[in-house]
Amino acid sequence: MRLPFPLPPRPSLFVAGLAVLGAGSVGCHSTDAPAPRALDLALPPAFTAAEATAPIVAGAWWQALDSDSLDALVIEALANNHDLAAAAARIASAEAQARIAGSARKPAVGLNASRNRAKNIFVGLPVPGGNVLESTATQWGVSLDIAWEADLWGRLSSTVRAAEADAVATAFDFEAARQSLAAQTTKAWIAWRLAAGQDGLAARTLETYRRDLQLVQDRFEAGLASNFDLRLSRARLEGALAETEATDAAVEVAGRQLETIVGRYPAGELATEDELPGLPPLPGAGVPSELVQRRPDLRAAAMRVAGADARLDAARAERFPSFAIAASTGRVSDMFDDLSDDDFSVWSFLLSLAQPIYQGGRIDAGIDFADATALALLEGYAQTALIAFLEVESSLAVDAPLAAQEAALGRALEEARVAREIAEERYRAGLDDLFVVLEADRTALQAERTLLEVRARRLDARVDLHLALGGDIEPMTPASL
C-alpha cells in the first residue's frame, strides 16, 4: 500500500517552562507558507518476516525476562548512567533555547541609570594669566526603555515553533537514549550470564577430564593402556585447566562492564548467575505504519523536519517589512536630587517600518539554505524510517531460524552425551581406543557450548526486537526525566 508519511502531530511540551510559548503571535501570517511535507513510501500492511499476533509490549519490556536482578540493574542504570544524564541536560538546554526564542515576541523593558562627568575646553577664549577657559559638568539620568516588534508576517512565531520542535526532538532523543541504555544493560547482563554459563561448562569439562585421566591411569597401571594415552589425557586436562582460567577471566570482565554501564565503579562485586533466562514469548510487532508513532528516534527526526520547515517560514518572512516600536521616558539633570522633579522629565517615542530592498542576495540565500536544510532532514527522516523497518524485519526474520538451530543443537547434545557414555564403556572394555572417547568428548562439549551461544543470540535478538519496536511506548512524563 502507498502510505504518506505526514509529520506526527506536535505533542504538547512537557518540559517545564515551555507553556509560555503557546501564545499566538500578533498580526497576520504570510500566505506564502510551504505546504506540509510528506514522505511517499510504499509499505506492506504487515511486517513480512514473521507473524507476531501477540500484543505489543508496553512499559518495562525487559521484565519479560522475569529476572529481579536484571530489573534492578536496569533501574540502576537509568538512574545513574552519565550518558543518560547528559541527554537529560540537553533537554534543559533545548528548553532554554525555546524560551529565548519566545522572548523575542514580547516587549523588552529596561531600566537605565547613568552618571556622565565631562570636561570641556573653550579654545580661543583665554583668561588673564594665559590659562584657557574650561568647565566641568556632571549629568545624572534615569530612564525606562521599552521596545517591541510586531510579528506581522509570522517570522518570530515561526522561529518559536522551530525552537519548540527542537526541544521536543531533544526530549525524544532522551527517550531513545533511555531505551538504548535499557537494551545495552540487558545485553550486557545476558553476556555476563553467558560468560558465567561457559565458565560452568568449563568447570564441568575439567571434572570430566579428571575422571577420564583417572580411568586411563588405572588402565595404564594394569597394563591395558599405553604411555601415549596417559600423556594425552594429562595434556587434555591441562588444557581444560587453562580454559577454566580463561572463562573465569571472561566472567570478571563481563561483570565489570555491566557495573560500568549501570554507573558503578567496576569492582567486580556482582554475584554470579550461571544460567541464561528463559526466552519470553515473541511480542506483537503491529504494522509498519504504526512504527513511526512508536519509535522515539523516528519521532525526533520528524520533529526536526517540522522545525526546519518552521525556519523556512521564518526565512521567507524576511522579505516583508518589519514594524517596531521604541519608547523611553525618564529624567535628566545636573543634580542627582533633581531626578525626582517633574521639571526635568524627558521622553521619546519611535515608530519604525523597515522594508528590505537590496540585501546583496542575503535573504534569498537564507531561504535557499533553509529549504535545503529542510530537504536534507526530510531525506534523513526517510532513511531513518527505512532502517527502523529493517531492524524490525531482521529481528523477526532471525527468530525462527535461531529457534530451529537451538532445537537441533539440543538434540545433537543429547545424542553426543549418549555417544560419550557408550565410548567410555567401550574404552573400559578395551573395544575402542582413547581417540574415540576424545572425539565423543569434543562433540558433546562443542554442542553444549554452541547451544549456550545460540540461546544467548536468541535473547539478544529478542532485545533487539523490543528496541526496534520502540521499546517502552508509555507516554513520557516529567517524572520520567
Side-chain angles (χ1 to χ4, degrees):
M1 76 185 214
R2 181 178 179 274
L3 176 74
F5 260 65
L7 300 178
R10 193 171 113 195
S12 59
L13 292 172
F14 51 84
V15 184
L18 287 185
V20 299
L21 299 179
S25 60
V26 177
C28 59
H29 295 277
S30 169
T31 59
D32 195 26
R37 295 181 180 251
L39 288 178
D40 288 332
L41 192 63
L43 297 180
F47 289 104
T48 61
E51 291 187 10
T53 57
I56 299 172
V57 176
W61 51 265
W62 56 86
Q63 291 179 348
L65 294 175
D66 195 23
S67 169
D68 292 338
S69 65
L70 172 61
D71 194 38
L73 287 168
V74 172
I75 292 173
E76 185 177 353
L78 295 177
N80 299 332
N81 185 268
H82 296 293
D83 289 336
L84 192 63
R90 285 190 286 272
I91 296 179
S93 175
E95 174 213 7
Q97 289 292 333
R99 291 203 307 269
I100 291 171
S103 67
R105 296 190 301 176
K106 298 178 174 64
V109 181
L111 179 65
N112 296 308
S114 64
R115 178 182 181 271
N116 181 32
R117 185 168 177 80
K119 176 181 178 181
N120 293 317
I121 296 177
F122 300 94
V123 179
L125 296 175
V127 297
N131 295 326
V132 178
L133 185 63
E134 63 181 42
S135 69
T136 302
T138 301
Q139 187 178 67
W140 298 84
V142 62
S143 65
L144 181 67
D145 303 322
I146 302 175
W148 176 69
E149 180 181 351
D151 192 18
L152 294 178
W153 318 108
R155 177 178 60 83
L156 298 178
S157 58
S158 294
T159 303
V160 172
R161 290 200 311 273
E164 286 180 336
D166 288 344
V168 176
T170 304
F172 284 137
D173 286 339
F174 172 82
E175 175 63 10
R178 188 174 74 92
Q179 290 302 319
S180 178
L181 178 59
Q184 185 182 1
T185 304
T186 304
K187 282 192 169 186
W189 178 79
I190 292 170
W192 174 59
R193 296 281 290 264
L194 172 62
Q198 290 174 332
D199 191 42
L201 174 59
R204 293 193 301 273
T205 301
L206 180 62
E207 291 303 314
T208 298
Y209 286 1
R210 281 182 175 145
R211 189 177 68 249
D212 288 348
L213 175 59
Q214 186 61 51
L215 173 62
V216 174
Q217 181 77 34
D218 293 343
R219 287 178 59 79
F220 175 75
E221 292 174 355
L224 300 175
S226 66
N227 186 50
F228 174 78
D229 286 354
L230 181 61
R231 292 186 178 275
L232 186 60
S233 294
R234 289 174 178 170
R236 190 171 67 147
L237 180 61
E238 294 299 327
L241 282 169
E243 179 67 19
T244 58
E245 294 297 330
T247 55
D248 286 346
V251 174
E252 284 290 322
V253 171
R256 294 174 194 272
Q257 288 176 338
L258 182 54
E259 286 174 319
T260 303
I261 290 172
V262 301
R264 298 186 195 176
Y265 183 85
E269 296 177 346
L270 289 174
T272 304
E273 301 177 58
D274 60 359
E275 290 186 5
L276 289 171
L279 190 72
L282 189 69
V287 297
S289 59
E290 296 173 345
L291 195 64
V292 293
Q293 298 295 336
R294 291 203 308 267
R295 282 192 43 149
D297 58 338
L298 292 182
R299 301 182 76 179
M303 291 310 302
R304 288 193 168 90
V305 174
D309 279 339
R311 288 187 175 90
L312 179 56
D313 287 345
R316 288 175 170 171
E318 291 277 356
R319 294 171 172 170
F320 304 109
S322 61
F323 177 77
I325 298 174
S328 177
T329 182
R331 291 169 186 174
V332 177
S333 176
D334 292 339
M335 302 296 293
F336 180 78
D337 293 342
D338 290 340
L339 295 181
S340 61
D341 194 334
D342 290 342
D343 292 341
F344 297 92
S345 298
V346 295
W347 60 269
S348 67
F349 185 79
L350 173 67
L351 295 176
S352 66
L353 182 66
Q355 168 64 57
I357 296 176
Y358 177 72
Q359 299 286 323
R362 180 187 64 84
I363 294 178
D364 288 340
I367 294 173
D368 291 342
F369 173 78
D371 190 39
T373 301
L375 181 59
L377 289 171
L378 187 68
E379 294 298 336
Y381 174 43
Q383 186 63 27
T384 302
L386 286 175
I387 292 173
F389 297 136
L390 171 64
E391 289 171 351
V392 175
E393 293 282 11
S394 297
S395 297
L396 290 172
V398 301
D399 185 73
L402 284 176
Q405 186 179 5
E406 181 181 354
L409 284 169
R411 294 191 297 269
L413 179 58
E414 291 299 320
E415 296 294 340
R417 285 172 173 169
V418 173
R420 170 67 176 77
E421 295 173 359
I422 294 173
E424 184 176 337
E425 291 174 0
R426 290 178 62 83
Y427 180 71
R428 288 178 183 274
L431 299 177
D432 284 323
D433 58 28
L434 183 61
F435 286 103
V436 175
V437 178
L438 297 181
E439 178 61 21
D441 281 342
R442 186 195 66 78
T443 301
L445 177 62
Q446 183 61 40
E448 189 166 0
R449 180 181 292 116
T450 306
L451 181 59
L452 278 173
E453 293 171 353
V454 170
R455 285 174 176 168
R457 286 176 60 194
R458 289 195 72 190
L459 288 167
D460 281 346
R462 192 56 51 84
V463 173
D464 289 339
L465 178 57
H466 281 292
L467 190 61
L469 291 174
D472 180 352
I473 61 172
E474 291 179 343
M476 290 179 293
T477 63
S480 69
L481 302 181

